[in-house]
Amino acid sequence: MSLSSSATQSLTNNRSMISSSSSTFLAPANFYSRTTSISLPVKKTGACRCVATPPQEKIAFKTNVPRNANISKLQAGYLFPEIARRRAAHMLKYPDAKVISLGIGDTTEPIPDVITSAMANKAHALSTLEGYSGYGAEQGEKPLRAAIASTYYNGLGIEEDDIFVSDGAKCDITRLQLVFGSDVTMAVQDPSYPAYVDSSVIMGQTGQFQKDVEKYGKIEYMRCTPENDFFPDLSTVSRTDVIFFCSPNNPTGSAATREQLTQLVQFAKDNGSILVYDSAYAMYMSDDNPHSIFEIPGANEVAIEVSSFSKYAGFTGVRLGWTVIPKQLLFSNGHPVAKDFNRIVCTGFNGASNIAQAGALSCLSQEGIEAMNDVINFYKENTKLIVETFNSLGFKVYGGTNAPYVWVHFPGQSSWDVFSEILEKTHVVTTPGSGFGPGGEGFVRVSAFGHRENILEACRRFKQLYK
């Protein structure tokens, strides 16, 4: 039997109306080529539609544990991983380009042999019965604590048991936040190192991010600009429990004078605040400014200092820093701050690597100090080359004298737009100033950490772009 002519026509018409997006469901063109005939009842129909039903998404298993609401306040990713992500995307786009990274402040020159030899000897000693050691003191080995006290705080009233050796200043910033808890208020330089603000957000010390002003609620942003010589007008700063202050400053490269730090310590005393002073770049100081906050009279009663060997000895990967908390620093109830910090350290940290501590002790030998200064002077020469380049191009340039960072002004432009243009046209990675706070908008930070040939090549590319 064969199909009636009207049935054949109806099927043909309906088939032609099926969406092309569903064509994979259609049979081959010879669907009707079989010789078997059948008789079908004919029914007049309207348009025939084939609706594809999307497959139901499989919902992954979820626990009943809510996400930390404070972490959800954070905006995008942490600054430097975001820069690394954009650098990686650029390299995929231009696989043959020689990308030069002057963004994240990571050291590039080899650690001096006098320091690595000490670490190698310590590592080898661990393979012997006589030289093996396991867990050490959470606060750090006594000889190293004593060496830090005598080298950097001699005559300043700081004793070895005021010093806590750690795996880096950044880690200690978060440990300090655990000591302070969520019920404190904080102030920060604007712009400043992002870890201060981000750790405060995670701890629950802040309000929500306010997109219209690019700030978190409940944080006192102390604006530091060329107009105020990158030191905040303290008469306009509200009282907070904790003040984070970095000098020489990352990212602006500016350093506070003795007079300015005296004002800052007095401001903290007048307000009953605790000052957390980050001195990670103190050895880069060229001007006659204080290297430690404890050079200022009265600072022992209001200040904590964090520092690190990362930028002195190239320990960005080795990881070794320290925090100084004087015995005189007390909470409002009279309890020593150092005791609570010690409790946090003993709870969440088993002490810095004994190999890294051996290297740090070697850093503080006479030969080690000279070797560190040689490396620091190398980076300072890089800084001078970058400053001269941007000055020759007519830019307003700040920093570079007391820190390995050059703070370049691009008035009226978005920092991220400038970052993107430089990366796209020169294959050089910088850091957008707005990543350090709203006060950094319109600026770009250029790091002097790099091999000399890369610094020279980057300067050549900058000149070619902005000539």
Side-chain angles (χ1 to χ4, degrees):
M1 279 193 267
S2 61
L3 289 169
S4 67
S5 60
S6 60
T8 301
Q9 184 64 37
S10 176
L11 284 171
T12 302
N13 289 342
N14 288 342
R15 181 183 178 212
S16 67
M17 298 178 71
I18 297 176
S19 167
S20 61
S21 65
S22 304
S23 60
T24 54
F25 297 104
L26 297 178
N30 63 355
F31 179 81
Y32 301 109
S33 62
R34 297 180 62 182
T35 56
T36 306
S37 297
I38 59 173
S39 178
L40 295 175
V42 178
K43 181 178 180 181
K44 292 183 179 180
T45 63
C48 175
R49 294 182 180 177
C50 179
V51 179
T53 304
Q56 196 166 12
E57 287 188 19
K58 185 179 180 181
I59 298 176
F61 173 78
K62 297 185 295 183
T63 71
N64 291 324
V65 180
R67 184 188 181 200
N68 184 337
N70 296 316
I71 294 179
S72 67
K73 296 178 189 175
L74 293 171
Q75 298 300 297
Y78 188 69
L79 173 61
F80 298 112
E82 173 62 19
I83 289 172
R85 185 192 68 78
R86 297 191 184 209
R87 178 181 185 272
H90 182 80
M91 292 176 72
L92 285 175
K93 184 178 179 182
Y94 300 101
D96 298 326
K98 181 185 177 183
V99 176
I100 298 173
S101 183
L102 303 181
I104 183 171
D106 192 4
T107 51
T108 58
E109 301 312 293
I111 298 172
D113 182 69
V114 61
I115 300 168
T116 56
S117 294
M119 290 192 284
N121 291 337
K122 179 64 176 180
H124 179 71
L126 293 174
S127 65
T128 68
L129 285 173
E130 299 78 17
Y132 177 77
S133 62
Y135 291 127
E138 292 89 348
Q139 303 82 6
E141 297 177 358
K142 285 182 68 65
L144 176 57
R145 298 169 77 190
I148 292 172
S150 62
T151 302
Y152 295 118
Y153 305 101
N154 188 34
L156 301 181
I158 299 299
E159 300 174 351
E160 67 179 66
D161 57 353
D162 295 326
I163 294 168
F164 295 81
V165 175
S166 72
D167 51 348
K170 183 178 182 180
C171 305
D172 277 349
I173 288 166
T174 298
R175 293 184 184 112
L176 286 168
Q177 293 284 31
L178 290 173
V179 171
F180 297 139
S182 59
D183 294 330
V184 298
T185 54
M186 62 89 72
V188 65
Q189 290 160 291
D190 177 27
S192 67
Y193 183 48
Y196 313 139
V197 169
D198 283 12
S199 60
S200 295
V201 174
I202 291 170
M203 281 301 301
Q205 299 168 359
T206 75
Q208 295 292 333
F209 186 73
Q210 301 164 358
K211 291 188 176 181
D212 55 334
V213 290
E214 296 290 316
K215 296 179 180 179
Y216 287 96
K218 298 184 181 179
I219 290 182
E220 182 72 16
Y221 289 80
M222 303 184 296
R223 185 58 68 94
C224 298
T225 67
E227 289 71 32
N228 62 19
D229 196 26
F230 297 102
F231 187 82
D233 180 358
L234 297 176
S235 67
T236 66
V237 175
S238 298
R239 188 250 171 218
T240 61
D241 296 309
V242 180
I243 303 167
F244 282 95
F245 197 91
C246 178
S247 180
N249 179 262
N250 177 14
T252 66
S254 61
T257 65
R258 188 172 301 275
E259 180 184 358
Q260 289 170 334
L261 291 180
T262 300
Q263 294 174 21
L264 183 63
V265 167
Q266 189 60 50
F267 178 77
K269 293 192 82 168
D270 291 344
N271 287 285
S273 305
I274 292 178
L275 172 63
V276 179
Y277 188 82
D278 187 340
S279 64
Y281 300 94
M283 283 187 70
Y284 285 83
M285 197 90 69
S286 295
D287 294 339
D288 185 23
N289 298 321
H291 285 62
S292 168
I293 191 62
F294 299 117
E295 294 180 39
I296 307 302
N300 299 53
E301 297 176 326
V302 295
I304 294 169
E305 183 163 300
V306 296
S307 197
S308 167
F309 285 102
S310 287
K311 308 303 166 63
Y312 299 169
F315 272 29
T316 51
V318 174
R319 308 305 306 152
L320 206 289
W322 68 91
T323 290
V324 184
I325 307 182
K327 299 176 186 65
Q328 301 95 316
L329 182 64
L330 308 176
F331 285 117
S332 59
N333 64 355
H335 186 80
V337 174
K339 283 192 174 182
D340 281 2
F341 188 73
N342 185 66
R343 186 69 176 85
I344 292 294
V345 167
C346 292
T347 299
F349 186 52
N350 277 329
S353 159
N354 47 20
I355 297 173
Q357 291 190 69
L361 190 59
S362 179
C363 287
L364 300 178
S365 67
Q366 186 59 44
E367 189 180 355
I369 291 173
E370 291 173 0
M372 286 194 297
N373 279 324
D374 286 343
V375 176
I376 288 169
N377 287 333
F378 174 87
Y379 292 129
K380 291 174 78 170
E381 290 169 5
N382 282 352
T383 308
K384 184 178 179 182
L385 291 170
I386 297 170
V387 169
E388 289 174 349
T389 294
F390 281 102
N391 276 333
S392 71
L393 294 168
F395 288 93
K396 288 284 188 181
V397 182
Y398 306 94
T401 301
N402 298 304
Y405 299 122
V406 180
W407 192 238
V408 187
H409 195 199
F410 291 81
Q413 298 187 60
S414 156
S415 295
W416 277 108
D417 286 349
V418 175
F419 164 89
S420 297
E421 180 185 43
I422 292 175
L423 180 59
E424 180 71 22
K425 295 181 179 179
T426 70
H427 307 302
V428 176
V429 180
T430 57
T431 305
S434 58
F436 298 97
E441 184 61 273
F443 290 85
V444 164
R445 190 194 77 174
V446 184
S447 167
F449 292 115
H451 302 311
R452 182 61 49 79
E453 62 269 22
N454 285 345
I455 297 295
L456 291 170
E457 174 61 19
C459 289
R460 186 192 67 79
R461 296 181 192 179
F462 291 145
K463 290 177 179 177
Q464 189 173 28
L465 176 62
Y466 293 115
K467 62 184 178 182

